[in-house]
Amino acid sequence: MIPLALDPSRVAIALAGTGPLAVRRLTQLREGGADPMVFSPEPDGELAQLAGGRLVRALPDAAALDGIGLLYVMGLGPETERTLAELARSRRVLVNVEDVIPLCDFHSPSVVRRGDLVMTVSTGGRSPTLASLLRQRLESLFPEEWAERLRTIAAFRDRRRAEGASMSEVARETRDLIARERWLP
């Protein structure tokens, strides 16, 4: 596995599916800053409401996939999911079919967000339960105040760089700040 952090403003993301897994994934994508197209021939009320104007009440065809870089698929049944994954790959779109490892080009890690601080855990799709348990542990180790802590660290870094401090000085002073504040055990 090669872990990456993806900028959703640079890569078009879409979701094809229905049901609670589609709602959960759409929510996660939105939390990450994405505003994906949602393809769902028969969306339930919650998915339709959440997708809003980004909902297409059909599965994506080849032309729709041409503008997409990443596609999440779930809740459509094995044959439809396999066919859609093959079509997407033929258009050079990376695919993740929820809980079907052989049809996945990538896996989405379990995520903890504290403002701009993003921590992830991945098991390569082998154990979502373990990834979830580890995510919960990270949530307890890094509570919500870490969003403000990161803003403080970033402001300190920006100020010191503007004053002409070298990267090594800024790194050392940042470690000192974190130690002085006792933010890490």
Side-chain angles (χ1 to χ4, degrees), residues 153-154 156-162 164-177:
I153 292 166
F156 173 78
R157 178 184 184 274
D158 292 344
R159 180 176 53 79
R160 290 296 292 135
R161 289 295 290 155
S166 70
M167 290 303 287
S168 60
E169 288 175 310
V170 172
R172 182 182 43 77
E173 292 171 7
T174 301
R175 282 191 294 275
D176 292 346
L177 168 66

